[in-house]
Amino acid sequence: MSLRIGDTAPDFSAQTTEGDINFYKWLGDSWAILYSHPGDYTPICTTELGRTAQLKNDFARRNTKVLAISVDDLVSHQGWVKDINETSGTIVDFPIIADPDKKISRSYAMIHDNASTSATVRSVYFIGPDKKIKASITYPASTGRNFAEILRVLDSLQLTAQYSVGTPVDWEDGQDVVVSTSVKNEDIPSIFPKGYKEVKPYLRYTPQPNK
């Protein structure tokens, strides 16, 4: 059964390349990106894990912890990390979960039997401090993830969790946002003092409130 937006992210304890963790305790009051890999020493995932390490400060600024998961064991992970560090010119210092019994992968619906009965599909889960699933993206094995998009989605989720707004098509951090339809026009000045532009009664733009 798949996990949907609003569902509680399953808790788990696991061995990782950064030591044993309990997910909820490790997460604390941070956001999380949990993403899966079909297996160790796979070329596309090698580039992705390297990119994740390079973006360490970008995730830290967003109060977001990243952890990856593969169904291979810890010894395999540790060898793979050496390759990632070498090929990416970086240091992987976030946890990669060892899940040889596939228990965690199955709890997160990362095994799609029609694709493979053993390898995890390449899922990305965005998890809030409340331990709820906020968004998810699933890629085929052949398509590398776009981390600019992952950061953009994270920015949108964090912004819309704090303010009564939505982010329009192709939105990027710093651009105008859409006022929620639940906010009445007469209440906008007190909520969004930067003003607003009404295109349609249901489509009202305001400058990004936290900029």
Side-chain angles (χ1 to χ4, degrees):
M1 187 171 64
S2 63
L3 289 173
R4 296 181 173 87
I5 292 172
D7 288 350
T8 298
D11 194 14
F12 57 83
S13 295
Q15 286 188 320
T16 82
T17 51
E18 296 296 309
D20 293 352
I21 67 168
N22 171 265
F23 178 54
Y24 280 9
K25 291 180 180 178
W26 175 85
L27 182 58
D29 61 358
S30 300
W31 289 69
I33 299 290
L34 170 62
Y35 67 125
S36 59
H37 300 276
D40 293 355
Y41 300 100
T42 50
I44 306 303
C45 296
T46 298
T47 65
E48 293 175 334
L49 288 164
R51 184 64 176 142
T52 303
Q54 293 166 354
L55 292 170
K56 176 181 179 178
N57 292 336
D58 296 85
F59 286 112
R61 283 196 297 271
R62 293 166 171 84
N63 186 33
T64 299
K65 295 181 177 181
V66 181
L67 70 167
I69 183 170
S70 161
V71 297
D72 290 313
D73 62 30
L74 191 59
V75 172
S76 177
H77 285 359
Q78 290 166 339
W80 188 27
V81 165
K82 293 178 181 178
D83 281 4
I84 298 164
N85 291 342
E86 178 187 346
T87 57
S88 301
T90 188
I91 300 295
V92 172
D93 60 359
F94 57 88
I96 304 176
I97 297 166
D99 188 35
D101 63 3
K102 307 178 187 65
K103 184 177 180 180
I104 300 169
S105 298
R106 288 199 179 277
S107 74
Y108 275 84
M110 290 172 170
I111 304 290
H112 291 188
D113 290 327
N114 288 336
S116 171
T117 58
S118 59
T120 54
V121 297
R122 301 177 63 254
S123 302
V124 183
Y125 284 107
F126 300 77
I127 301 168
D130 60 357
K131 316 301 187 289
K132 301 289 186 181
I133 303 292
K134 303 301 182 182
S136 64
I137 309 174
T138 299
Y139 296 78
S142 58
T143 302
R145 284 171 261 226
N146 185 324
F147 277 82
E149 172 64 3
I150 288 172
L151 290 174
R152 191 189 77 90
V153 172
L154 186 58
D155 285 337
S156 175
L157 291 171
Q158 293 183 345
L159 176 68
T160 57
Q162 187 175 0
Y163 299 95
S164 296
V165 297
T167 54
V169 62
D170 296 333
W171 173 87
E172 293 184 3
D173 188 42
Q175 296 179 344
D176 287 357
V177 295
V178 173
V179 178
S180 172
T181 55
S182 64
V183 178
K184 298 178 180 178
N185 279 3
E186 55 266 32
D187 296 328
I188 291 179
S190 62
I191 301 173
F192 302 111
K194 296 177 182 178
Y196 73 102
K197 177 178 68 176
E198 182 177 297
V199 178
K200 292 287 184 180
Y202 58 86
L203 180 56
R204 300 161 299 170
Y205 289 92
T206 189
Q208 185 171 322
N210 62 348
K211 292 291 183 180

